[in-house]
Amino acid sequence: MREDSMLPSGVTLKNGAVGARLAATSRTTDLYSSKRDALPGASGADGSSSKRERLAAPKRPSQALATVSGSPNAFPVRRAQVQVNGEPFHVIEQGQGPAVLFCHGFPDTAETWRSQMRAVAEAGYRAVALDMRGYGASYAPADVSLYTSLHIVGDLVGVLDALEIQSAVLVGHDWGADYAQRAMVMRPDRFRALVSLSIPYAPRGEISLWEELRRRGLGERYYAANMIKPEAEARYAPAAKTIPSILYWLSASPPPDARWDPLDPARGMLRPSPMAVPSWADPDYVQHTIRSFEKTGFQGGLNYYRVLQITFDLTAAFKNAVIHQPSLYLYGAADGLCQFFHPTPPTPADLRQAQPGLVDVIRLEHAGHWPQHEEASRVNAELIKFLGTIGAPQ
């Protein structure tokens, strides 16, 4: 969960990214017949790669591709491994029309967006989601310095290039929202509008987040301080236990006085969950996420936290940069991270100081940190409404 965002008491924050574009060198489409969709880059039980049909990805899926999907569904899911600067990234697509690119956060994969992708496809848009760098079946370098905003936003541009998409609306949750926001600032020619879930935008400030936290005496209390330690991977490694814990404690499901608090270690995210699957979560999605992290580990996701200072040091050119494109912010009223970022519910006027094009702020009363799942129908409706408001690309 991103932490270099809008903090209480006028905290200025870091991040931002320079306009580094990674060229897409080639692309292929991987099609899966399973309606529920196998694990990205799935392997058989023996660890061998599953059989795939590799085709040159067309701009519009042919009738043959729809047939291969094995479903009468009018909006079949299409899967691909695309090459971005010579490295593989896993993407899923659904629908046709103006592009909407979805970016997930920690600890997650592209599968988190399946409800929103279906809604967007049915509304006449081309929904695209990727396993972000370090996750799922996408490129996952061990080097922390390869996770800066420069690299991640370059990945987003490269995915558009690989799929021959000129411009897209970005929808991001958690860390995905953070990098979607940076993409708005550095590549307005490719990203025409923004929907942020759970993370408000804050421009890069004068000092880094870590320096601000130290000045306020919160450096060791803030949850991310433990996530950057070398032993963090081992604490998160038993995914069958940690994924249900993170989903449950960060949601609106626990009693208010027991929910995750980013400043209280006693209310941490890795406490044992009282249930395997929260009532609002699709069991197949939870199992997919567990299997994904059992395969990859958590190093890639944790590197997003470890690279914060490096990103801050590289992005002075974007200090105080605002987002001019149309934007929408949605957050859960029970999200402990949002309560830390803005203890008082923000108004559109508050956020328009950094986002002049902000259309609205939506507070979701029955959601915590996972609004795309906890209040999927409401999120879908607000997303479609926003897309209708901004219209098609010119």
Side-chain angles (χ1 to χ4, degrees), residues 282-340:
D282 183 334
D284 288 346
Y285 158 72
V286 176
Q287 286 305 309
H288 165 87
T289 307
I290 290 171
R291 291 195 306 270
S292 180
F293 283 94
E294 285 178 339
K295 181 179 179 179
T296 66
F298 287 84
Q299 182 181 29
L302 293 170
N303 281 346
Y304 282 66
Y305 299 88
R306 293 165 173 158
V307 79
L308 282 169
Q309 187 63 45
I310 298 173
T311 289
F312 179 83
D313 294 339
L314 292 173
T315 54
F318 293 92
K319 184 173 63 176
N320 298 325
V322 302
I323 294 174
H324 293 283
Q325 299 97 312
S327 59
L328 176 69
Y329 175 46
L330 302 96
Y331 71 98
D335 188 343
L337 199 60
C338 292
Q339 292 167 4
F340 177 65

Side-chain angles (χ1 to χ4, degrees), residues 210-245:
W210 296 121
E211 178 60 27
E212 180 64 31
L213 290 172
R214 283 192 291 271
R215 291 184 181 186
R216 297 175 60 193
L218 300 176
E220 290 302 315
R221 289 178 54 196
Y222 194 59
Y223 79 102
N226 283 321
M227 300 178 77
I228 66 175
K229 294 179 179 178
E231 63 272 19
E233 281 91 343
R235 290 200 305 272
Y236 283 84
K241 295 181 179 180
T242 58
I243 293 299
S245 291

Side-chain angles (χ1 to χ4, degrees), residues 123-173:
Y125 297 87
R126 180 182 180 182
V128 181
L130 75 153
D131 288 346
M132 301 289 281
R133 175 181 292 237
Y135 292 94
S138 288
Y139 175 53
D143 187 346
V144 172
S145 68
L146 297 180
Y147 286 80
T148 69
S149 293
L150 289 71
H151 296 88
I152 306 298
V153 179
D155 295 342
L156 303 183
V157 173
V159 167
L160 294 192
D161 290 344
L163 299 178
E164 300 180 12
I165 296 171
Q166 180 55 41
S167 67
V169 174
L170 280 177
V171 180
H173 171 248

Side-chain angles (χ1 to χ4, degrees), residues 53-95:
E53 181 177 358
R54 292 185 174 273
L55 302 172
K59 295 178 73 174
R60 289 181 179 275
S62 67
Q63 182 59 41
L65 298 191
T67 301
V68 171
S69 73
S71 169
N73 185 350
F75 302 96
V77 174
R78 309 183 298 278
R79 297 178 173 278
Q81 287 294 120
V82 300
Q83 293 294 312
V84 176
N85 199 34
E87 302 296 347
F89 282 79
H90 183 78
V91 300
I92 57 179
E93 293 190 71
Q94 194 169 15

